[in-house]
Amino acid sequence: MVNDRENYRSPRGIRDILPEEGVLWRHLEATAARLARLRGYREIRPALLEETRLFTRSVGEVTDIVQKEMFTLQKGKNSISLRPEGTAGIVRAYLEAGYAKTAPVQRFYHTGPMFRYERPAKGRERMFTQFDIEALGSLDPRLDAEVVHIAASFFEALGLRGLEIRINSMGDGEDRDRYREALRTFIAPTIERHCDLCKERFQRNVMRVLDCKNQQCQELHEGAPPILEFLSPENSEHFESVQLALRELGRRVVVDPGIVRGLDYYTRTVFELHLPSLGPRSALCGGGRYDHLIQELGGPDLGAVGCAVGFSPTLIALDETGIELGLVGESAQVYVAALGEGQAQDVFSVAETLRQAGFSAIYDVEDRRTLKSQLKAAGKGGHRFCVLVGGEEKERGNVQLKDLDASEQHELTLEEVVDFLGKQSRV
Ligand code: HAM
């Protein structure tokens, strides 16, 4: 007979989060939610799919994300894409829900998957999770500081130290135009000695040339005019106020004119959080202001600022800096085993009694014959307690409670077991 069974693997750059890692992921999500909610940010869960034109309009037609990295589906006449980032969908949802009219200042957070068809590498995946923090509807520089502070607090809560907050202003409108011109004039004489990506960026969006990681290009950029010298008085003052607010929050920042983010919607403040020990791909978080996006997408002229933390780069940072979060896995607390044969029904109902009382419990469904093999399975599964049902104990109306960690065993009634477990932690 022909063996037509094939092996299936997840697509390249896309991976599963298995139960063994679940506890860690939930810890990241819970930490993110706690820190955001502490500052009045409310959870939003925007759509996973959006019309493609939303991203073309917001992220930008000539950005890497839109040109090369979107997972796009054509359904009839509609082109829809899996979200490559969260901000565009959040602004779309904000407008569609009418907040811009009813309550324009909104603080939102979200954690969930994003999709980019990038070349997979360490910490770069095609499906990845971001923690998004977005403050919409205001130009107040304190909000810029607030979102940076939430992101930085997130890493600190996980135990990461040595994070660098790199901040810049990308200007806006006229001052940015003047800067682009000056930068073009500076780079033009050496453009032939730049890498292909820089040559392309020189044509498409000259500020992005400064983001090149190639050492030769970086050397050519030494002495490039810094954008901060081109800012209008108003934009300069905003930038100063952001830094002041960050200082008030106890945050030290590095002003880095090389932070020129790759999404078109940014205006004024931009920032990245880096762990320098991770090398050139050290950004764990990126964000900034996007003061025109609400209007670009059909709403009023309101400011906004936000950022997104990548979970995979965060996990790599934890791993490489040797931080153990000491989280306990999530095996059921109790493994119910049979003392002898013919106990299947009792095992089943004892497990349900424990569950009703609020304790997670499982039982053997592999028909293990001996108690020894059941106890071995319980130990391997990481369960703390074993409740043994049947035997003479049953005739006495009791069960055995075995503490697998302490290697202790006591004969108790089921009510006493519930009482005892109640003094432990509940699910
Ligand atoms: P971004 O810089 O494209 O910004 O992404 C933010 C963070 O997401 C990065 O610093 C990185 O940690 C993580 N990240 C990005 N791409 C990947 C990937 N392929 N695999 C794993 N992690 C990745 C944004 O997405 C903006 N929407 C941020 C923002 C929010 N700006 C304003 N509001």
Side-chain angles (χ1 to χ4, degrees):
M1 205 177 97
V2 179
N3 184 356
D4 62 356
R5 285 173 57 193
E6 293 174 33
N7 286 322
Y8 294 95
R9 301 183 69 86
S10 64
R12 209 162 109 77
I14 295 184
R15 66 185 193 96
D16 310 297
I17 295 156
L18 300 173
E20 286 76 8
E21 300 165 278
V23 62
L24 179 57
W25 281 74
R26 270 208 308 285
H27 180 68
L28 297 190
E29 284 159 5
T31 305
R34 177 171 61 78
L35 295 168
R37 294 176 62 191
L38 182 67
R39 294 166 178 89
Y41 286 67
R42 297 185 300 152
E43 187 183 23
I44 182 166
R45 299 192 191 194
L48 272 165
L49 287 160
E50 297 278 358
E51 284 186 275
T52 303
R53 65 190 183 100
L54 174 74
F55 301 117
T56 315
R57 185 69 194 253
S58 55
V59 173
E61 183 122 37
V62 294
T63 54
D64 290 347
I65 294 181
V66 167
Q67 290 213 323
K68 308 182 211 150
E69 295 173 359
M70 289 218 287
F71 286 89
T72 297
L73 309 164
Q74 194 68 38
K75 286 281 169 201
K77 286 195 183 127
N78 300 325
S79 175
I80 51 176
S81 295
L82 281 166
R83 58 185 188 198
E85 59 98 53
T87 313
I90 288 175
V91 174
R92 196 265 313 130
Y94 166 89
L95 287 169
E96 195 170 335
Y99 290 117
K101 290 201 187 87
T102 53
V105 178
Q106 289 293 329
R107 291 171 164 94
F108 293 146
Y109 78 91
H110 170 245
T111 46
M114 307 292 158
F115 304 84
R116 293 184 197 173
Y117 192 74
E118 287 196 70
R119 181 195 291 269
K122 200 171 181 196
R124 290 276 129 180
E125 295 161 317
R126 290 184 173 168
M127 173 175 163
F128 57 97
T129 298
Q130 281 186 339
F131 163 34
D132 248 296
I133 309 156
E134 312 283 359
L136 297 105
S138 166
L139 295 165
D140 194 316
R142 287 175 299 178
L143 290 176
D144 308 37
E146 189 169 281
V147 297
V148 171
H149 186 55
I150 296 174
S153 307
F154 172 77
F155 297 116
E156 282 160 5
L158 298 176
L160 276 173
R161 296 287 174 266
L163 225 79
E164 209 172 270
I165 302 171
R166 302 184 188 162
I167 177 168
N168 189 23
S169 174
M170 287 178 73
D172 190 11
E174 272 180 26
D175 55 21
R176 191 188 296 195
D177 290 346
R178 280 193 294 119
Y179 179 63
R180 281 210 178 103
E181 224 19 74
L183 194 58
R184 211 170 268 123
T185 309
F186 175 82
I187 290 172
T190 60
I191 190 63
E192 283 313 314
R193 285 157 55 205
H194 280 73
C195 70
D196 289 346
L197 184 62
C198 276
K199 286 181 187 150
E200 200 187 320
R201 286 176 168 173
F202 182 73
Q203 298 300 335
R204 287 186 349 205
N205 181 357
V206 65
M207 282 170 79
R208 295 282 297 143
V209 171
L210 298 178
D211 192 41
C212 187
K213 307 282 182 276
N214 181 315
Q215 198 175 346
Q216 190 185 328
C217 297
Q218 283 182 349
E219 282 166 15
L220 293 172
H221 301 152
E222 273 170 28
I227 185 162
L228 300 178
E229 288 175 9
F230 289 74
L231 295 185
S232 66
E234 189 195 340
N235 288 346
S236 247
E237 193 189 318
H238 183 92
F239 192 51
E240 287 302 320
S241 306
V242 173
Q243 292 175 71
L244 182 69
L246 279 163
R247 274 199 295 279
E248 265 164 33
L249 292 169
R251 296 273 164 215
R252 283 185 30 207
V253 299
V254 176
V255 174
D256 180 350
I259 302 290
V260 277
R261 312 244 324 122
L263 294 88
D264 271 6
Y265 50 61
Y266 288 115
T267 50
R268 306 210 274 178
T269 319
V270 281
F271 57 88
E272 288 177 359
L273 272 61
H274 285 256
L275 196 63
S277 57
L278 296 185
R281 283 273 190 178
S282 60
L284 305 183
C285 167
R289 274 211 160 263
Y290 45 98
D291 287 336
H292 304 308
L293 189 56
I294 296 174
Q295 194 171 35
E296 286 267 314
L297 299 182
D301 185 13
L302 298 168
V305 59
C307 66
V309 169
F311 273 15
S312 317
T314 304
L315 290 175
I316 290 175
L318 289 174
D319 197 38
E320 296 199 352
T321 49
I323 293 175
E324 294 271 348
L325 294 172
L327 301 169
V328 181
E330 58 168 358
S331 304
Q333 292 156 294
V334 185
Y335 185 96
V336 186
L339 284 163
E341 287 184 24
Q343 306 299 326
Q345 198 53 43
D346 274 359
V347 162
F348 189 56
S349 67
V350 165
E352 188 52 25
T353 304
L354 293 171
R355 292 162 173 176
Q356 293 285 343
F359 308 103
S360 56
I362 61 163
Y363 49 87
D364 176 38
V365 287
E366 289 170 53
D367 216 10
R368 290 190 175 84
R369 305 264 150 198
T370 63
L371 179 61
K372 198 171 160 200
S373 62
Q374 291 181 75
L375 289 175
K376 205 167 145 197
K380 227 168 121 187
H383 311 286
R384 168 83 196 273
F385 297 103
C386 207
V387 169
L388 311 174
V389 179
E392 291 167 10
E393 288 82 345
K394 185 179 170 186
E395 284 156 31
R396 293 194 286 269
N398 293 339
V399 295
Q400 289 281 354
L401 174 69
K402 195 171 171 66
D403 182 334
L404 294 173
D405 280 2
S407 299
E408 275 178 18
Q409 188 167 324
H410 299 283
E411 184 173 334
L412 302 169
T413 65
L414 198 50
E415 291 74 39
E416 286 167 337
V417 169
V418 166
D419 264 5
F420 176 83
L421 293 176
K423 292 180 188 121
Q424 315 289 315
S425 63
R426 258 165 225 267
V427 176

